[in-house]
């Protein structure tokens, strides 16, 4: 039975429903792929969800699919197929490397695999795209909408008057579906124009022509003559030639080089915004894309939107206004959102030799991000100006190197209000100070002040009526060297712009230092992989077009005021009771440099095996060192960035910052093992406790402090020794107990030994006795053997006698026989002699028997003697 | 202590990243706990005192000896799950019930990692579990004596001309006459963690000595290109199987070189590993996979990935090679996604299982790596692997009596076996992955002070080194029982120096450290005179071996599957 149990196996459990029976999703949990194919005939759009019942990702996606299905079940057929069960058709025919797999069919076209995020909104958006791969552009306004979108768009013009299905239309339609196969994010939008007049707006004349819209570069028309007009080719052409001003990054979760490839192209601006693909409008996204457009619009003399300009020439009044609107929107982005209130500041001379004056125009701007409705008519508040000046002087090193004739502008945050920032535009003035002022004035006196603020919570209201104010200067940034328009071509620090959905990828923002406390998941950072730095848009400022513009500008200018962002582990809690002080980026300076003590700083990382196994040594060290003079601190270097000069490339690293000479930090030599004596020696060598100078009063004081420290240390030692004594006593008791136990045991053993010895003696006696008896027996045996020998001899003699007798008898018989006939009378006498012969033979037989018996007894005795031995 | 742990909990908001992707860490932790008890209780009910539970027939069998193996192996998992009372009960059961004086042929390797390792970790954790300990603890105690007894039974196997041990030993009679001299590499090089711990705790150097001797013998017999094979003859030191790789037959040898280096602060072991690591990267690594190659020529012999190899990323993360670790881990994870487990062998070019090697005995290696990497990166992808593992194991292998080995990953047929490592490792690592506040993850912010008759010791300050059967060893305990005694007087003298006004020059670290490096040439004499007896002078120069590189800038963004290539 044992071996049988060993061979027991059990087939996998039979598949059961994966979706609930009430679900709008048809669940073919036995993997009936043939039936699934059959179902496809009933519906124009079908979504297949291939799953494995054990797969965590399938289980997680199940809910999302159900959610989508509940919204689209009237138009789309949702079929789930268990593609794992090995008896099912699906498993036998398909070979998937991962689950779930989502396939979509638009009638016979398919499968289109969905590879986007497993989130209901994204899936639904994609399904909707498959349902209507082409947008129908019926009017000029729709055309404008289509073209103003930041994502590349492909337009086809088809004349439906001639035939219900003009030549090429089907191919175009298929290419739209085809593009979804390649480009699962659906960034290229496809539209179809049916009206001749609308088509003319983008210079399409012939039915069947295909047009790729581009914002910055000239738009293209599909070269029918060079490339074959096939769905694949159109799709390929569009993908190759599309313009990517700003890109969504949507890592799929598997191993990927996406960020590696994108970030290696150069510095990148990553913008994190919450994104709902199903939402009708995306005001924040629109704003960001406008900045992106401006940034890439290098040909400044021409309008940013040549096509729109072209459209604007037409006479259609409705169209005109919409174009105007668009231009208005654009123009808004040119000016920073501002609350204009300015003051001219003359900076002190930096160098005595220099005869230049630095003049700065300091303006207070307010983006009332959270309260868009509470916009007041601005007026120059004296206190605000003063606060701004304070902040400005604190930041003035930013302008230290400004010796050019251009005007450099920077934005910096007010320390007093999270919603306002200051703009300072400075220039160096040589002789013609006045001319500067005058020139500025002409520029500053713009009659109109555009003010826009974008509500974060109320996204529908994204424009505020213009406010006119002629009393204040506005630093018009158009003339400065840091105009955003076309900046990408003018700077040598060109940024690539990327968008990330913070609902899905907020973790990257956190890694770059997005504060955890914020509930608004908006964040922007410039990452420069090559320089290994990143800058973060101040999180106290709301993420709007203008702040983003400033951020880009500040990055691009020559002496960038942006500071390398140091990610800080804000979740560290400071506890006085800790023996080792936990240092973070923010507390580094205070703990190490401002403290009045010698500081031993350990750089570590929790994951590094060599660090973690030293924990106990540093704890011991911290407990030993006099706490009044020494701090043992450590910093988790993977969660806390430090200024370059304090970075280290190996972990663990131990640095010692001696009191009074903090700038002369010393590194614990790498080739010494990190143990208590070595650390103590290292500290002793470098600590500033030693004082060989003659004693002053101060020194005496120090000495007493030191002695007190010593006393407390000794007291601690005594305490320790006491507890040690306690432990020793305990151990002593334990030993005592064990000893007495052992003694008892010994005693017992002794007794046992005695008894054993006695037993031994008796046994010995016994054996001696046995030996004696053995000898005796042996003797007896020998005697017996002798006797036997004698007996044997005797018997031999008897035998001889017997034979003699027989011979005698025979001779007698012979004599008798001869006499028989003669002496018949003597018959009675003959009988007598016969009787005599019989008696003789019986005696010999008994004798022989006796001999054998004797041998037997010798043998038995011998063997018994053996046994006793 | 409570408040410390509480603060620590706040420090690591593990759920933040994962929450966005809908992974509830707490609920998965509870599911893992339920898994443990489902298996553990059925073992006690149906299989104890046998070694293992047979989950399909609901009975028990002896597999690696006859010492209630599953119970010994699962003991510290109980404590990690926080079940103190059951831990205490099992400790007393073991003290009474386990006997190593038995006529059983036992695998030297398995007995060491499961029994000796399990008993050692239970011994070191017993105070934390509220077991009444002896005064001499952690340097003495009943569980330590049991571990020592078990280890002594293994010592006869090391009596070979090369010092490399036999694979099997009879616990009563020693090495059987006619025993095969062929032992796998891991069976030779997987002793240093347990044996050095034993030597440090008990004071008997014999264990560490034999373990070191075996390690050195392997090192001496590596090929010219720096690789070791799979099996070797321990008498003649001839390689019998010449496949070199990081998986079955070799795996824990490399693991123990690193873990031994960490546990003992031993540069020599680390330098051995780094040499191997170079050769492994040169010859076996292709596209973040590690293949099998001929140990002398370096030609690829088997393009397979083995389930056992999945420990490698975790090991790499311990020495700071997190980027490479993550890249390899993501490769391995795709195999899991394909089958719901890792087949013993996976043919990489074919993308499918290898004949006769389709099973998955619920091995822990990939989950182990996920736990280590999660410590380093907090990447939610690693929690997703944990989620997948819980779902797969529950859906596929859970039966009424426990969790059954998957015999064939292609159709998920089950086998009548539940290896003891399921409770010792798989469940433990899963639980630790979902429990970032567990005491095992202690980063040194909490610790215990223990007064021993020999002085005061700081213990449980984190940095636990897991043996290859996932039994944690506290490095501070090793220090407590040996090094501390050696250092005590020196430290005392130095402390006096701190409070004296006139500095006595003889204590000063002579090396002019202000100049940084570049003076190491004249080091050895200086250093040796100062440091008293440091074991090997030759090791001194390369102390930086015992360190990790700090993570690169792009590691900030290397999460959710993103990997970065080196610029070099």
């Amino acid at each position: 039975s044992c071996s049988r149990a060993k061979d027991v196996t059990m087939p996998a459990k039979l598949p059961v429903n994966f979706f609930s029976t009430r679900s709008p999703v048809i669940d073919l949990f036995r993997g009936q792929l043939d039936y699934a194919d059959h179902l496809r005939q009933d519906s124009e759009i079908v979504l297949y969800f291939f799953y494995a019942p054990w797969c965590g990702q399938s289980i997680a996606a199940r809910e999302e699919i159900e959610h989508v299905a509940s919204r689209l079940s009237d138009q789309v057929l949702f079929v789930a197929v268990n593609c794992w069960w090995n008896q099912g058709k699906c498993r036998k025919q398909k070979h998937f490397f991962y689950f779930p797999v989502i396939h979509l069919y638009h009638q016979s076209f398919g499968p289109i695999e969905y590879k986007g995020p497993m989130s209901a909104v994204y899936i639904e958006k994609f399904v909707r795209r498959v349902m209507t791969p082409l947008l129908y552009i019926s009017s000029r306004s729709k055309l404008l909408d289509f073209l103003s979108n930041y994502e590349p768009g492909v337009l086809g013009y088809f004349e439906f008057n001639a035939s219900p299905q003009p030549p090429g239309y089907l191919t175009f339609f298929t290419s739209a579906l085809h593009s979804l196969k390649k480009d699962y994010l659906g960034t290229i939008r496809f539209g179809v124009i049916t009206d001749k007049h609308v088509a003319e707006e983008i210079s399409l004349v012939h039915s069947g022509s295909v047009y790729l819209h581009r914002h910055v570069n000239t738009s293209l028309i599909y070269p029918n003559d060079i490339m074959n007009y096939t769905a694949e080719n159109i799709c390929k052409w569009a993908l190759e030639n599309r313009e990517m001003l700003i890109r969504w990054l949507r890592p799929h979760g598997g191993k990927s080089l996406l960020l590696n490839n994108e970030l290696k192209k150069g510095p990148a601006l990553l913008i994190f915004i919450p994104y709902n693909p199903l939402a009708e409008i995306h005001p924040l996204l629109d704003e960001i894309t406008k900045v992106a457009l401006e940034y890439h619009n290098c040909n400044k003399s021409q309008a940013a939107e040549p096509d729109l300009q072209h459209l604007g020439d037409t006479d259609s009044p409705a169209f005109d206004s919409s174009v105007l609107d668009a231009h208005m929107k654009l123009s808004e982005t040119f000016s920073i959102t501002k609350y204009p209130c300015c003051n001219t500041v003359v900076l002190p001379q930096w160098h005595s030799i220099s005869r230049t004056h630095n003049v700065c125009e300091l303006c207070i701007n307010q983006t009332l991000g959270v309260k868009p409705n509470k916009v007041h008519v601005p007026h120059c508040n004296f206190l605000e100006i003063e606060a701004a000046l304070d902040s400005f002087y604190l930041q003035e090193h930013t302008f230290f190197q400004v010796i050019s004739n251009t005007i450099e502008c920077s934005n910096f945050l007010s320390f007093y209000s999270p919603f306002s920032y200051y703009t300072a535009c400075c220039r160096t003035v040589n002789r013609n100070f006045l001319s500067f002022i005058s020139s500025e004035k002409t520029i500053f006196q713009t009659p109109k002040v555009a003010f826009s603020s974008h509500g974060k919570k109320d996204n529908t209201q994204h424009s505020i009526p213009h406010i006119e104010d002629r009393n204040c200067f506005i630093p018009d940034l158009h003339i400065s060297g840091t105009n955003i328009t076309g900046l990408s071509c003018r700077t040598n620090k060109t940024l690539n712009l990327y968008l990330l959905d913070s609902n899905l990828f907020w973790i990257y923002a956190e890694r770059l230092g997005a504060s955890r406390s914020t509930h608004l998941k908006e964040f922007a950072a410039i990452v420069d992989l090559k320089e290994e730095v990143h800058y973060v848009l101040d999180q106290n400022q709301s993420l709007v077009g203008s702040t983003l513009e400033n951020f880009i500008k500040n990055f691009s200018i020559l002496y960038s005021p942006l500071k390398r962002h140091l990610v800080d582990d804000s979740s560290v809690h400071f506890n006085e009771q800790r023996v080792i002080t936990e240092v973070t980026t923010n507390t580094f300076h205070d703990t190490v440099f401002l403290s009045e003590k010698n500081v031993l700083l350990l750089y570590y990382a929790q994951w590094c095996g060599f660090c973690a196994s030293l924990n106990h040594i540093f704890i011991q060290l911290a407990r030993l060192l006099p706490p009044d003079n020494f701090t043992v601190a450590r910093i988790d270097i993977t969660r806390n960035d430090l200024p370059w000069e304090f970075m280290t490339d190996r972990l663990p690293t131990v640095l010692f910052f001696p009191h009074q000479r903090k700038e002369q930090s010393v590194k614990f030599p790498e080739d010494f093992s990190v143990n208590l004596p070595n650390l103590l020696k290292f500290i002793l060598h470098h600590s500033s406790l030693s004082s060989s100078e003659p004693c002053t009063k101060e020194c005496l004081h120090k000495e007493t402090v030191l002695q007190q420290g010593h006393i407390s240390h000794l007291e601690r030692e005594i305490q320790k020794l006491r507890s040690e004594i306690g432990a020793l006593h305990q151990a002593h008791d334990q030993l005592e107990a064990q000893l007495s136990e052992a003694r008892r045991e010994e005693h017992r053993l002794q007794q046992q030994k005695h008894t054993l010895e006695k037993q031994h003696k008796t046994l010995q006696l016994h054996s001696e006795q046995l030996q004696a008896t053995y000898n005796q027996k042996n003797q007896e045996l020998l005697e017996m053997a002798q006797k036997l020998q004698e007996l044997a001899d005797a018997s031999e003699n008897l035998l001889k006698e017997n034979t003699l007798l027989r011979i005698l008898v025979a001779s007698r018989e012979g004599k008798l026989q001869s006499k028989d006939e003669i002496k018949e009378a003597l018959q009675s006498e003959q009988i007598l002699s016969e009787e005599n012969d019989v008696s003789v033979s019986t005696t010999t037989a008994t004798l022989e028997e006796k001999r054998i018996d004797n041998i037997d007894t010798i043998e038995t005795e011998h063997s018994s003697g053996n046994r006793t031995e | 202590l409570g408040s410390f742990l509480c603060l620590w909990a706040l420090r690591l908001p593990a759920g933040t990243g994962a929450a966005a992707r809908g992974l509830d860490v707490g609920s998965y932790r509870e599911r893992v706990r339920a898994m443990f008890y489902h298996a553990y209780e059925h073992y006690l009910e149906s299989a104890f005192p046998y070694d293992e539970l047979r989950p399909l027939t609901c009975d028990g069998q002896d597999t690696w000896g006859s010492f209630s193996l599953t119970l010994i192996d699962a003991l510290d998992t109980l404590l990690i799950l926080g079940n103190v009372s059951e831990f205490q009960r099992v400790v007393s059961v073991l003290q009474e019930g386990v006997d190593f004086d038995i006529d059983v042929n036992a695998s030297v390797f398995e007995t060491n990692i499961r029994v000796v390792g399990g008993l050692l970790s239970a011994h070191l954790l017993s105070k934390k579990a509220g077991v009444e300990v002896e005064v001499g603890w952690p340097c003495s105690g009943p569980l330590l004596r049991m571990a020592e007894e078990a280890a002594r039974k293994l010592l006869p196997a090391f009596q070979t001309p090369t010092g490399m041990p036999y694979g099997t030993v009879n616990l009563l009679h020693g090495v059987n006459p006619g025993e095969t001299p062929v032992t796998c590499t891991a069976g030779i090089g997987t002793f240093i963690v347990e044996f050095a711990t034993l030597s440090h705790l008990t004071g008997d150097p014999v264990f560490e000595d034999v373990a070191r001797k075996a390690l050195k013998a392997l090192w001496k017999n590596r090929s010219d290109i720096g690789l070791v094979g799979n099996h070797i003859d321990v008498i003649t030191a001839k390689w019998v199987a010449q496949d070199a790789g990081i998986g079955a037959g070799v795996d824990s040898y490399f693991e123990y070189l690193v873990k031994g280096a960490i546990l003992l602060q031993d540069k020599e072991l680390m330098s051995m590993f780094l040499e191997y690591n170079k050769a492994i990267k040169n010859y076996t690594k292709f596209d973040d996979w590690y293949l099998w190659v001929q140990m002398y020529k370096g030609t690829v012999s088997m393009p397979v990935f083995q389930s056992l190899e999945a420990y490698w990323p975790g090991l790499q993360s311990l020495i700071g090679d997190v980027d490479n670790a993550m890249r390899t881990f993501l490769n391995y994870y795709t195999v899991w996604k394909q089958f719901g487990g890792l087949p013993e062998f996976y043919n990489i070019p074919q993308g499918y299982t290898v004949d006769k090697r389709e099973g998955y005995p619920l091995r822990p290696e990939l989950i182990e790596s996920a736990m280590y990497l999660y410590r380093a990166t907090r990447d939610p992808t690693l929690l997703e692997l944990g989620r997948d593992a819980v779902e797969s194991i529950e859906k596929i292998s859970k039966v009424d009596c426990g969790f059954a080995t998957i015999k064939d990953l292609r159709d998920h047929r089950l086998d009548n076996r539940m290896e003891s490592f399921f409770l010792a490792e798989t469940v433990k690592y899963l639980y630790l992955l979902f429990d970032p506040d567990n005491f095992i993850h202690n980063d040194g912010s909490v610790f215990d002070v223990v007064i021993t008759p020999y002085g005061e010791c700081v213990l449980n300050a984190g940095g636990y080194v897991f043996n290859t059967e996932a039994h944690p060893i506290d490095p501070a305990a090793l220090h407590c029982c040996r090094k501390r005694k050696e250092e005590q007087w020196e430290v005392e003298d130095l402390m006096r120096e701190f409070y004296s006004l006139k500095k006595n020059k003889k204590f000063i670290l002579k090396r002019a450290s202000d100049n940084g490096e570049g003076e190491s040439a004249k080091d050895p004499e200086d250093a040796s005179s100062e440091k008293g007896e440091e074991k090997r002078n030759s090791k001194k120069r390369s102390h930086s071996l015992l360190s990790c590189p700090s993570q690169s800038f792009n590691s900030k963004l290397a999460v959710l599957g993103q990997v970065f290539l080196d610029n070099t």
Side-chain angles (χ1 to χ4, degrees), chain A residues 482-595:
Chain A
T482 53
N483 188 348
I484 185 83
T485 307
L487 187 59
S488 70
C489 308
R490 284 182 280 123
T491 175
N492 51 4
K493 292 197 278 186
T494 306
L495 279 171
N496 298 309
L497 310 183
Y498 300 99
L499 290 164
L500 289 104
D501 184 353
S502 50
N503 292 327
L504 300 170
F505 306 112
W506 187 243
I507 186 168
Y508 293 113
E510 280 181 358
R511 291 304 172 104
L512 293 171
S515 85
R516 286 165 201 270
S517 54
T518 173
H519 17 260
L520 238 168
K521 288 189 166 178
E522 288 171 4
F523 181 74
I526 291 171
V527 177
D528 190 339
L529 214 56
K530 211 168 92 195
E531 299 292 323
E532 303 201 333
V533 288
H534 75 284
Y535 311 97
V536 163
L537 177 63
D538 194 312
Q539 287 179 78
N540 292 320
Q541 283 178 285
S542 48
L543 181 67
V544 288
S546 54
T547 52
L548 213 55
E549 266 184 36
N550 289 331
F551 188 42
I552 296 173
K553 279 188 266 182
N554 283 341
F555 174 75
S556 306
I557 58 176
L558 192 56
Y559 301 106
S560 169
L562 295 180
K563 284 203 197 109
R564 174 178 164 238
H565 186 77
L566 305 175
V567 177
D568 169 66
D569 188 3
S570 53
S571 51
V572 169
H573 287 256
F574 303 101
N575 194 317
E576 287 300 314
Q577 285 167 315
R578 280 194 181 188
V579 286
I580 295 183
T581 313
E582 194 78 44
V583 177
T584 66
T585 304
N586 289 338
T587 60
F588 175 74
H589 192 75
D590 288 1
T591 319
V592 174
F593 287 98
L594 298 184
S595 102

Side-chain angles (χ1 to χ4, degrees), chain A residues 10 511 608 634 638 651 670, chain B residues 377 414 443 543 548 551 559:
Chain A
M10 194 172 92
R511 291 304 172 104
C608 173
R634 63 172 192 174
T638 28
L651 300 171
E670 272 190 356
Chain B
T377 67
L414 299 180
D443 65 349
H543 198 83
C548 309
Q551 277 179 297
V559 288

Side-chain angles (χ1 to χ4, degrees), chain B residues 158 191-192 195 206-216:
Chain B
F158 289 84
F191 294 94
I192 189 73
F195 278 25
V206 65
F207 301 105
E208 186 171 346
D209 289 347
V210 295
R212 278 191 191 278
K213 198 175 166 210
L215 282 177
K216 277 193 195 127

